[in-house]
Amino acid sequence: MGPSPNIQPPDPTGSAVKTFLRQQLERYVQRLGELDFLLSREDIMSDMAQYRTISREHAQVTQVAGRYQRYQQVEADVAAAREMLEDPDMAEMAAEEIASGEAEVLQLEDELQRLLLPKDPDDERNAFLEIRAGTGGDESALFAGDLFRMYTRHAERAGWRVEIVSANESELGGYKEVVLRVEGDGVFGQLRFESGGHRVQRVPATETQGRIHTSACTVAVLAEPDEAQAVQINPADLRIDTFRASGAGGQHINKTDSAVRITHIPTGIVAECQDDRSQHRNKAKALQVLAARIQEKERVERAAKDAALRKGLIGSGDRSDRIRTYNFPQGRLTDHRINLTLYKLLTIMEGDLTEVLAALRAAREAEQLAELEASLA
């Protein structure tokens, strides 16, 4: 299936997709034919890893090509309706078709532009989610525990799988630090904008005067690298220490040095894992986290350079950026980057992050659209 002829019809609506975008859409039509052919080949079907990769691309390309086909059909319908305006018997019906068609064209244009926005290949990856208590002592650690619950509950709703990689529990509850691995479709793309400083305002259980305290945690969301990237780290650059795991886990976990801490000497980045009884499996998990942290360091450095040229609304994802406030007395969540305020804090803390995450993605898409329009101007 080759590319369809790139013959442009007249623009009766006055709002056709820009020539550049139309050319991109024609490429999707051509690519769909190529992918259909690849998926019919026996050698591709017998290689599950390659088959899954191509199937995933096929699903994405089919979505874009399908919407583009609908766009072309509506354009043709509007053009036909305009010809019918000359017939007095058909004029009223034609006018209605033109009005509804033009409205759908505008809607499809917007949808197609969003579908064509550049996608980060890491968005489809699993993610490591790190939560660290900050200022506020015990109250901060308790808040870290609340964030842990919020994200794990959201993961359950989304059908994602969560495992604890490492955890440093606080004496009064909560965590000084906890690292999770979240596995599922598009996890990193969904959670990537959660990186940054999270501030809580509430009356602690230990407060006798009823005063509101402010404390904070930092969250970092890291894309899980593929196994090849984890292997690429030079073993000579690593210092590997074993130690006795602490915390819950039964008698066995406290009697053997199964926990592993790995230090990347050139950068000073450290990762540890104590979740498994097997030292070998803990080492493998710690290496994955280490690779993700090294990759994230490079990502933040690139984002900082980009920010010097253009300050993005969503920010660089650096831990030091204060992104959100959770105000319990008012039942209010505020995301400072996009001026989003929701008075449904308890529901959100139970894992209902859908509205917050969707608003952040929409804000990023709006940025990308503005950049695209500026580049085509």
Side-chain angles (χ1 to χ4, degrees), residues 128 130 132 165-166 179 222-226 229-240 260-273 282-298:
F128 292 108
E130 303 179 355
R132 293 181 184 173
V165 175
S166 65
V179 180
L222 321 174
E224 181 183 63
D226 59 33
Q229 286 177 286
V231 173
Q232 286 170 5
I233 299 173
N234 186 349
D237 290 337
L238 301 178
R239 186 177 73 243
I240 301 175
V260 175
R261 180 182 297 111
I262 304 177
T263 304
H264 186 244
I265 297 168
T267 60
I269 294 174
V270 179
E272 65 179 50
C273 182
N282 279 336
K283 179 182 175 183
K285 288 182 183 178
L287 270 173
Q288 280 189 310
V289 175
L290 186 74
R293 287 178 176 168
I294 292 171
Q295 178 178 279
E296 181 65 13
K297 181 176 182 290
E298 295 170 356

Side-chain angles (χ1 to χ4, degrees), residues 30-157:
Q30 181 177 354
R31 181 59 178 161
L32 183 59
E34 295 169 354
L35 292 169
D36 283 336
F37 171 70
L38 289 173
L39 288 174
S40 69
R41 284 172 42 176
E42 290 187 12
D43 59 328
I44 299 292
M45 294 175 70
S46 62
D47 183 342
M48 282 309 297
Q50 194 174 14
Y51 182 78
R52 278 196 297 268
T53 300
I54 294 174
S55 295
R56 193 178 298 120
E57 184 186 356
H58 186 273
Q60 294 168 347
V61 171
T62 298
Q63 181 186 20
V64 178
R67 299 315 287 158
Y68 181 44
Q69 185 178 27
R70 175 62 186 168
Y71 176 85
Q72 291 176 308
Q73 181 62 55
V74 176
E75 269 193 326
D77 291 346
V78 170
R82 286 188 176 278
E83 292 180 1
M84 289 164 52
L85 282 174
E86 298 175 7
D87 184 343
D89 295 332
M90 306 291 287
E92 185 177 348
M93 183 178 72
E96 291 177 1
E97 287 189 14
I98 291 168
S100 63
E102 288 180 345
E104 188 174 355
V105 163
L106 289 173
Q107 178 185 336
L108 286 165
E109 273 188 23
D110 182 66
E111 187 178 343
L112 285 166
Q113 286 184 13
R114 292 180 185 278
L115 287 171
L116 286 179
L117 290 175
K119 293 179 175 58
D120 188 331
D122 283 346
D123 281 354
E124 293 304 312
R125 292 195 176 280
N126 301 325
F128 292 108
L129 179 67
E130 303 179 355
I131 306 170
R132 293 181 184 173
T135 55
D138 291 331
E139 173 62 14
S140 177
L142 290 170
F143 180 49
D146 292 336
L147 292 178
F148 167 85
R149 174 188 170 92
M150 178 182 78
Y151 288 122
T152 51
R153 286 289 180 90
H154 179 75
E156 289 173 8
R157 290 168 179 251

